[in-house]
Amino acid sequence: MHIIRTAHEMQALRRAMHGRVGAVYTMGALHEGHLALVAAARHAHDHVIASIFVNPTQFAAGEDFDKYPRDEQRDLELFAAAGVEAVFMPSPAEVYPTGFQTTIRLSGVTQGLEGARRPGHFDGVATVVAKLFNATSPHAAFFGQKDAQQVAVVRRMARDLNFPVDIVVVPTLRESDGLAMSSRNRYLTPAQRAAAAVVPRAMRAAVAAYGAGERETARLLELVRREISAEPLASLDYVSLNDPSTLLPSLDRLDGPALLSLTVQVGATHLLDNCLLPDSLNTQDGLTAVLGA
Ligand code: PAF
C-alpha cells in the first residue's frame, strides 16, 4: 500500500492508475463503518484511494480537535487489510500552506441542522473535500449516511463546481444496541454508552409510527423528543424532519421522502443519527438516489 504525503505525489500516482477509482476520505480512528465504505468502493472499482487527515478547519475553537483520537499505525493496517491501494496522509502544512486564502462556503444546505449548531463547520468540510477531490480525482467518492448533511453539502458542491465525481452513500453501521458507529463513541463512559442507546431507540419510535401510517411532522418529532427526555443522561440538541435534497424543513404533513435527523448530547459528546423515511430507502441505492446522486 502506498503512503502518500503530498498532493503532487498523490496526483502523480493517480495518473498512473487505469480503470475506475473509488475514494474514501476519513479523519482516521477507523471503525467498521469506515471499512464498510472501503468495501463498497472496492466492490465497483479497480483501485481504492483512502485519506487520513484530521482537518483543523472543520473544528471550532473549544471542539475536540486536540483530543480527536489518532492512531495512524492501526489505521494503516486496517486500510491495508481492507484492500486500499494508496493512503493520502498530508500534514496540516501541506493542506493549508502559509498564505492559504481560499474557503468554499455553501449557502442553503449548510444553514440548518449541524450547520446551525456548528457555524463554519461545513466551510471546513467543503474546502478540504474539494482539495481531496483534486488530489485524488476519483470516479466515485463514498460517504457514510451518518453525516447526511455532509453528504448533501458535498453533493451540492460537486454539482455547483463541476467535480466529475459520483457521490455514493453507504448505510450507517450500528452496534448491537443500534448506536451508530462513530469515532467519537470512545469518549463515552460505560454509563453514558448505555444511555446512548436512547438515540437509535428514539429514531426507531418515529420509524415505527411512520410505518404504521403517521405522517404528521409534529407528532413524529414529538415521539423522538419524548423518548430522549426519558433518559436522564441525554439531552436533545435538536430533532428535525427535512427534505432530503434541499434540507429545507418538511411540511406539516409528509408527502414524500424525508430525512429524520437528531443530535443528542450525552456527557460532553454530541451523538448524531439520522434515517430516511420511509425506512425502505435506508439502503446504499436508496440513500444514494435520494441524498447522493
Ligand atoms: O467525515 C469525515 O471524516 C470528514 O468530515 C471528511 C469528509 C474526511 C472531511 O474532513
Side-chain angles (χ1 to χ4, degrees):
M1 189 172 71
H2 303 272
I3 297 172
I4 312 289
R5 303 278 177 185
T6 68
H8 187 71
E9 285 171 281
M10 187 65 249
Q11 287 163 334
L13 180 67
R14 170 64 187 89
R15 278 194 295 276
M17 289 177 175
H18 301 290
R20 289 188 63 80
V21 175
V24 175
Y25 306 127
T26 80
M27 299 203 299
L30 301 182
H31 52 69
E32 284 170 52
H34 296 111
L35 301 179
L37 301 180
V38 173
R42 280 195 74 191
H43 185 68
H45 293 79
D46 305 297
H47 311 275
V48 176
I49 301 173
S51 68
I52 301 175
F53 179 62
V54 186
N55 175 35
T57 64
Q58 68 189 74
F59 292 79
E63 289 189 347
D64 57 344
F65 175 70
D66 288 331
K67 73 166 187 168
Y68 197 83
R70 291 164 171 88
D71 192 346
E72 279 186 17
Q73 205 43 49
R74 178 179 167 276
D75 290 346
L76 290 174
E77 283 163 19
L78 288 170
F79 272 149
V84 168
E85 193 169 320
V87 182
F88 179 43
M89 288 178 72
S91 65
E94 166 68 19
V95 178
Y96 302 112
T98 306
F100 189 88
Q101 297 186 8
T102 302
T103 298
I104 296 182
R105 175 168 302 142
L106 290 84
S107 39
V109 79
T110 57
Q111 298 308 296
L113 308 175
E114 286 300 281
R117 193 176 73 79
R118 303 179 69 187
H121 169 68
F122 288 114
D123 297 355
V125 170
T127 305
V128 82
V129 171
K131 295 202 64 157
L132 292 167
F133 281 164
N134 281 333
T136 57
S137 302
H139 293 89
F142 290 73
F143 291 89
Q145 169 189 6
K146 193 172 77 65
D147 298 307
Q149 188 173 14
Q150 169 168 282
V151 173
V153 168
V154 168
R155 177 183 62 173
R156 187 72 257 162
M157 177 188 72
R159 285 188 179 168
D160 289 355
L161 300 184
N162 300 107
F163 283 104
V165 183
D166 291 335
I167 308 299
V168 182
V169 190
V170 177
T172 301
L173 247 66
R174 297 181 180 279
E175 306 288 354
S176 56
D177 62 359
L179 181 66
M181 288 188 186
S182 163
S183 307
R184 290 186 167 105
N185 290 350
R186 62 183 83 182
Y187 298 153
L188 300 170
T189 65
Q192 290 167 350
R193 173 64 191 80
V198 72
V199 178
R201 196 161 64 240
M203 215 167 62
R204 281 198 303 266
V207 170
Y210 183 95
E214 182 60 83
R215 294 292 181 273
E216 294 295 326
T217 299
R219 288 209 201 118
L220 291 164
L221 296 177
E222 184 49 31
L223 283 171
V224 175
R225 284 193 196 100
R226 205 183 303 156
E227 285 284 337
I228 302 290
S229 64
E231 170 49 67
L233 294 186
S235 71
L236 186 65
D237 292 318
Y238 64 82
V239 57
S240 186
L241 277 160
N242 296 73
D243 179 294
S245 55
T246 60
L247 298 191
L248 290 171
S250 295
L251 302 174
D252 291 348
R253 192 174 165 76
L254 301 183
D255 61 354
L259 176 71
L260 173 66
S261 42
L262 70 162
T263 299
V264 174
Q265 185 169 0
V266 178
T269 307
H270 297 269
L271 301 167
L272 266 68
D273 212 339
N274 69 72
C275 66
L276 288 176
L277 299 174
D279 196 27
S280 58
L281 287 173
N282 292 299
T283 60
Q284 182 169 312
D285 286 349
L287 290 159
T288 300
V290 177
L291 282 172

